[in-house]
């Protein structure tokens, strides 16, 4: 089977630090190659793959802001679609725009829906539901107006995450500095529980950072900025817990799976896919507010870090994800 994997071009695949959709597209492509599939990854020219790389975009538009994002997207998507006949299947990780080609090509398409930025994009998904097989990344993220071929959880390379049995005492926030992700709430949890907090991630909302994060930074609450894979692994593994106090219905949450792979439990607000990613009382705690999260911090020693690793490895491995996608491919082709 010859498969074209279409990654976004905001960031490199795999990303240097941030870029969750690019990370998943890369993990799918590399996992398929390891499974013996002939894969062409359509991504930025500085991307890395064990398969064949196809690129007309030199660098991601988030990494080089001199570029026009829409122009790059048009060039990138059309590059694949004009070669569509070369492939047995297209796996689209680029949201709804590639769907507009699906009635113009004969190659079957599988589209992973990584989330809905707004209900305003639904008409495109509804229009092309008959010409692309939709895959959700969690049951929580399914929209009732759309048909789905399967739910396939995002998969990670388990070997990239080191298990740490004896962590340090700090709490960790790892994610975008944006109200949706709850860094302000993470700060309040740490302050009220008397624990040290490290915050890592890109600043996506500068005004929010200036108002809700910067004033609280101190010797015990430290902002690290974006971190690459090696440092992320160390931070996650040595944390007493990952704080994930989200304020939106998150479709998945890669950092939640990554933390558990390191043996680190997660304290998360019970929203979106969190009940699917975390075994409450075993690999973390699902809470409703800051007060409940503070209480959960006091119960972390009750959890078995080896159980966190085992759960995540069984549920969110690259191999499991690839096997689930291959089952979808066979049905579609």
């Amino acid at each position: 089977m010859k498969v074209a994997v279409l990654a976004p071009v905001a960031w490199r695949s795999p990303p240097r630090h941030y870029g969750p959709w690019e990370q998943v597209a890369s993990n799918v492509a590399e996992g398929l190659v390891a499974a013996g599939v002939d894969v062409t990854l359509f991504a930025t020219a500085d991307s890395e793959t064990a398969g064949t790389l196809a690129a007309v975009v030199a660098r991601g538009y988030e990494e080089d802001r001199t570029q026009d994002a829409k122009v790059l997207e048009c060039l990138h998507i059309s590059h694949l679609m004009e070669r569509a006949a070369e492939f047995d299947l297209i796996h689209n990780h680029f949201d709804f725009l590639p769907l507009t080609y699906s009635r113009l090509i004969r190659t079957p398409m599988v589209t992973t829906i990584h989330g809905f930025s707004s209900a305003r994009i639904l008409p495109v998904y509804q229009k092309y539901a008959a010409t692309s097989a939709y895959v959700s990344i969690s049951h929580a993220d399914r929209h009732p107006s759309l048909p789905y071929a399967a739910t396939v959880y995002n998969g990670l390379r388990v070997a990239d995450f080191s298990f740490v049995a004896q962590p340090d005492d700090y709490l960790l926030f790892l994610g975008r500095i944006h109200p949706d992700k709850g860094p302000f709430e993470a700060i309040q949890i740490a302050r009220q529980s008397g624990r040290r907090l490290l915050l890592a991630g890109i600043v996506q909302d500068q005004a929010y950072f200036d108002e809700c994060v910067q004033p609280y930074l101190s010797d015990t609450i430290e902002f690290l900025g974006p971190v690459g894979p090696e440092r992320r692994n160390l931070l996650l593994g040595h944390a007493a817990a990952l704080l994930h106090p989200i304020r939106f219905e998150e479709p998945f949450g890669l950092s939640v799976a990554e933390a558990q792979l390191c043996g680190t439990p997660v304290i998360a607000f019970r929203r979106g896919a969190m009940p699917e990613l975390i075994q409450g009382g075993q690999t973390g705690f699902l809470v409703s507010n800051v007060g409940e999260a503070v209480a959960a911090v006091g119960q972390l020693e009750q959890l078995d870090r080896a159980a966190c690793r085992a759960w995540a490895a069984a549920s969110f491995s690259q191999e499991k994800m690839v096997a689930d996608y291959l089952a979808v491919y066979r049905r579609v082709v």
Side-chain angles (χ1 to χ4, degrees):
M1 184 184 294
K2 295 186 68 175
V3 175
V5 174
L6 182 64
V9 286
W11 310 91
R12 186 188 76 164
S13 297
R16 293 178 175 85
H17 46 78
Y18 181 77
W21 294 15
E22 286 86 350
Q23 185 66 68
V24 174
S26 174
N27 289 358
V28 169
E30 303 316 293
L32 289 171
V33 170
V37 178
D38 185 344
V39 176
T40 299
L41 175 65
F42 286 76
T44 59
D46 57 349
S47 296
E48 299 175 354
T49 178
T52 301
L53 178 64
V56 291
V57 173
R59 284 171 52 81
Y61 55 78
E62 290 289 358
E63 299 183 81
D64 179 359
R65 294 293 185 89
T66 66
Q67 305 175 101
D68 186 295
K70 287 300 179 188
V71 170
L72 296 192
E73 290 175 349
C74 288
L75 292 172
H76 177 60
I77 295 169
S78 62
H79 180 219
L80 167 57
M81 297 306 172
E82 289 164 7
R83 294 180 53 187
E86 300 176 25
F87 304 101
D88 298 309
L89 182 137
I90 294 169
H91 191 163
N92 167 34
H93 290 271
F94 206 111
D95 212 2
F96 59 89
L97 285 175
L99 298 175
T100 60
Y101 287 83
S102 62
R103 293 181 182 174
L104 306 176
I105 62 175
R106 302 181 68 176
T107 306
M109 185 186 298
V110 171
T111 294
T112 296
I113 303 178
H114 287 276
F116 300 98
S117 56
S118 163
R120 291 176 294 182
I121 69 176
L122 276 169
V124 183
Y125 281 110
Q126 291 162 345
K127 179 177 180 179
Y128 295 103
T131 50
S132 182
Y134 296 152
V135 173
S136 57
I137 58 173
S138 66
H139 298 299
D141 197 51
R142 289 192 168 203
H143 194 276
S145 72
L146 299 178
Y148 292 88
T151 291
V152 177
Y153 292 133
N154 291 332
L156 300 161
R157 287 170 47 90
V158 173
D160 288 348
F161 298 91
S162 304
F163 174 70
V164 177
Q166 297 295 327
D168 295 335
D169 63 349
Y170 66 85
L171 303 173
L172 176 68
F173 171 90
L174 177 62
R176 297 175 286 124
I177 305 301
H178 185 279
D180 283 351
K181 285 291 196 175
F184 173 77
E185 285 75 12
I187 291 170
Q188 302 314 308
I189 294 165
R191 283 163 57 92
Q192 293 181 33
S193 59
R195 301 293 283 267
R196 187 161 61 106
L197 176 68
L198 301 180
L199 301 106
I202 63 169
V203 176
Q204 198 171 57
D205 186 326
Q206 187 64 50
Y208 175 82
F209 176 83
D210 294 342
E211 180 180 351
C212 298
V213 177
Q214 180 72 51
Y216 296 96
L217 299 183
S218 66
D219 291 341
T220 57
I221 298 177
E222 183 179 355
F223 176 62
L224 306 176
V227 294
E230 291 185 10
R231 194 175 186 196
R232 180 169 65 239
N233 177 44
L234 289 172
L235 287 169
L236 285 167
H238 290 275
L242 177 73
L243 300 183
H244 202 69
I246 51 172
R247 297 175 57 191
F248 75 119
E249 305 306 320
E250 189 165 31
F252 191 78
L254 282 177
S255 63
V256 174
E258 292 169 346
Q260 292 173 98
L261 277 177
C262 294
T264 300
V266 182
I267 299 173
F269 283 4
R270 190 184 288 101
R271 299 190 65 169
M274 293 307 105
E276 296 175 55
L277 271 65
I278 300 165
Q279 291 185 304
Q282 298 181 58
T283 68
F285 296 102
L286 297 163
V287 300
S288 300
N289 52 50
V290 168
E292 291 182 7
V294 172
V297 171
Q299 301 175 52
L300 287 172
E301 292 185 359
Q302 300 175 13
L303 304 181
D304 181 356
R305 291 178 68 94
C308 294
R309 170 79 171 193
W311 156 254
S315 305
F316 312 119
S317 71
Q318 183 182 46
E319 291 80 6
K320 183 179 186 302
M321 175 183 66
V322 167
D324 290 345
Y325 274 125
L326 284 172
V328 174
Y329 295 174
R330 294 186 188 102
R331 292 200 301 273
V332 170
V333 172

